[in-house]
Amino acid sequence: QLVESGGGLVQAGGSLRLSCAASGRAFNTYVMGWFRQTPGKERDFVATISSTGESTLYADSVKGRFTISRDNTKNTVYLQMASLKPEDTAVYYCAALLGVSWRDPDDFGSWGQGTQVTVSS
């Protein structure tokens, strides 16, 4: 089970850190990803991190502004978001990779309930 937190309302240019806490003992074996979704649109890839944290992958739209990290001792994955833009407004979800694609949401599962991020201009 995954539980996201840390969302909120922030002004453009501001920062937020999202957390995703996992239950279970196998967290450190999973590649983890962050995705986001706005009403009426499909869920979009944001960032993914390997099970050890050594490898990461980012969407072009967030590269250089967002940083994904994890602490396997706390069963938690983070998304540090900086230089936020109004177009970053979305519900953010974390999930565990169950397939092979690090970008395709259809290859992820155990989705959390999401946390709302709203960036005002």
Side-chain angles (χ1 to χ4, degrees):
Q1 183 180 3
L2 300 173
V3 179
E4 301 95 338
S5 62
L9 174 64
V10 63
Q11 288 188 333
S15 300
L16 280 175
R17 189 177 82 156
L18 306 183
S19 299
C20 171
S23 58
R25 292 176 290 179
F27 175 77
N28 62 355
T29 68
Y30 284 97
V31 172
M32 298 296 297
W34 283 98
F35 295 79
R36 63 189 182 185
Q37 188 171 25
T38 55
K41 295 189 177 181
E42 295 185 349
R43 201 163 289 187
D44 289 334
F45 164 71
V46 175
T48 305
I49 188 167
S50 65
S51 59
T52 62
E54 292 180 352
S55 298
T56 57
L57 184 67
Y58 294 92
D60 288 343
S61 59
V62 307
K63 200 173 295 183
R65 300 188 298 120
F66 291 11
T67 302
I68 189 172
S69 62
R70 67 191 296 162
D71 185 341
N72 285 344
T73 67
K74 297 181 179 180
N75 277 15
T76 302
V77 61
Y78 304 98
L79 186 68
Q80 179 68 50
M81 305 185 294
S83 302
L84 283 161
K85 304 174 181 180
E87 51 262 44
D88 294 318
T89 296
V91 178
Y92 284 72
Y93 299 89
C94 67
L97 181 65
L98 304 181
V100 296
S101 171
W102 280 35
R103 293 176 180 267
D104 188 347
D106 290 338
D107 274 20
F108 285 76
S110 298
W111 294 91
Q113 84 289 347
T115 186
Q116 175 72 47
V117 171
T118 303
V119 184
S120 63
S121 57

